Amino acid sequence: MSRRVIPSSRRLTAVFLAALLAPAAAACGPTAEQVARQEAGTSAVPAVTPAPQQPRIRTAEPEPSPSETMSVGVSGAQASMAQDVQEACQWLLRRDPGPYPANQSGDCLAAAMVAGTGAVQSVSTTASWLPPGTYSMEFSTSPEFAMELTSADSALEISVGGGVRTLRTGEGASVTANASGSPEEAYAAILVDAAELTSNPDRVRGLLESANAAAVEYDAVYEGTQATRLTAVVEADEPGGFSGSLVLVLDDLYRPLAIEYVGKTRGIDSAIRAKITGWEAGTEPR
């Protein structure tokens, strides 16, 4: 039997159809050879890993904890400051801008003076408060107020303590201060009140509360050290009472280092200035 020969035109048609069907077969899925190559390629390609996280750079200052960020910034003096002084002196501790409300400044100064327990003063006066001159004073503010004031010539002494207020003169006479008593006793009361103006926490509070709101200078300098200065205008709270300016210089615990009243008393120009030292010692009067 002779082999059948396909005409060349039919062979060309078969080749052309095979070429057309090849892409369609590939579109239906990978061939076995393609699957093998793909599996081999997968094992050779390493898994993609995420880019490493950039290290966190720390600054010189640690980040504050939540409790620190909520706290009120203060001057730093509170570390050695009595708790009741911190509570009364928040305006100064926060370094709030003035004017400093009169009731708050009065409470702050009184609390700081009581916490100081006592100190020494040198006092100078003009006109109608104490007789013009210079005086030395020792006083305590806790557990109760007491003081002993003596003039430079020892012609006048004032004592306060145990609820008794006494004026003594150089002649040895002693008079108990009593504003409602005899003329001598009423005069003694005036002098004792004047002596207490720069030392009795309650008197300092009262004068500040009768004053206008105080201007505050936080970075004042007093005798070469940093201090806080309060300046207020005082209105007389009774006929003949003091009216004028009140200046207080405070240390880092808000205790007075200097107190100055300049104005009028009973219509007469008058002034009283006190320099205060020795708060740390808690000096007790004799």
Side-chain angles (χ1 to χ4, degrees):
M1 182 176 178
S2 61
R3 185 176 58 184
R4 187 178 179 180
V5 178
I6 300 174
S8 59
S9 60
R10 294 178 62 184
R11 285 201 303 273
L12 291 174
T13 300
V15 172
F16 180 72
L17 289 175
L20 289 176
L21 293 174
C28 294
T31 63
E33 182 180 359
Q34 289 173 331
V35 171
R37 284 202 307 268
Q38 192 174 38
E39 290 177 352
T42 301
S43 61
V45 177
V48 177
T49 58
Q53 187 176 0
Q54 292 296 325
R56 186 176 182 181
I57 300 174
R58 293 185 60 87
T59 60
E61 294 294 332
E63 292 186 4
S65 65
S67 61
E68 290 173 334
T69 58
M70 294 297 290
S71 65
V72 177
V74 293
S75 67
Q78 75 278 6
S80 57
M81 185 180 290
Q83 183 62 37
D84 56 346
V85 180
Q86 293 188 56
E87 293 172 357
C89 299
Q90 282 299 303
W91 186 279
L92 297 180
L93 285 169
R94 292 193 304 262
R95 295 176 69 89
D96 284 348
Y100 192 1
N103 59 335
Q104 294 186 37
S105 61
D107 288 343
C108 172
L109 265 291
M113 292 177 73
V114 170
T117 71
V120 176
Q121 286 190 22
S122 60
V123 182
S124 63
T125 64
T126 61
S128 75
W129 275 324
L130 289 169
T134 58
Y135 300 83
S136 60
M137 181 196 302
E138 296 180 1
F139 69 99
S140 64
T141 57
S142 179
E144 63 178 6
F145 175 72
M147 60 161 282
E148 186 83 19
L149 177 140
T150 305
S151 63
D153 58 5
S154 300
L156 184 147
E157 294 182 356
I158 293 175
S159 297
V160 176
V164 179
R165 307 164 80 221
T166 304
L167 170 68
R168 294 184 296 274
T169 63
E171 291 79 16
S174 179
V175 181
T176 300
N178 182 358
S180 303
S182 68
E184 291 81 7
E185 292 173 338
Y187 179 66
I190 291 172
L191 297 185
V192 175
D193 286 347
E196 291 185 8
L197 278 173
T198 58
S199 56
N200 188 327
D202 290 335
R203 297 297 306 282
V204 173
R205 177 197 283 117
L207 275 170
L208 280 167
E209 289 180 348
S210 68
N212 296 329
V216 185
E217 183 182 352
Y218 290 102
D219 298 312
V221 176
Y222 176 76
E223 296 189 347
T225 62
Q226 187 171 348
T228 301
R229 179 180 285 111
L230 305 182
T231 304
V233 175
V234 179
E235 304 290 346
D237 56 359
E238 59 183 17
F242 171 75
S243 62
S245 66
L246 168 61
V247 178
L248 300 100
V249 179
L250 313 179
D251 66 10
D252 59 349
L253 299 179
Y254 305 138
R255 303 167 301 191
L257 296 172
I259 300 177
E260 178 182 86
Y261 302 96
V262 178
K264 293 183 179 293
T265 307
R266 300 175 196 75
I268 302 172
D269 291 337
S270 56
I272 181 168
R273 297 175 174 88
K275 179 180 178 179
I276 307 168
T277 59
W279 283 109
E280 292 78 9
T283 305
E284 295 289 341
R286 292 192 302 270

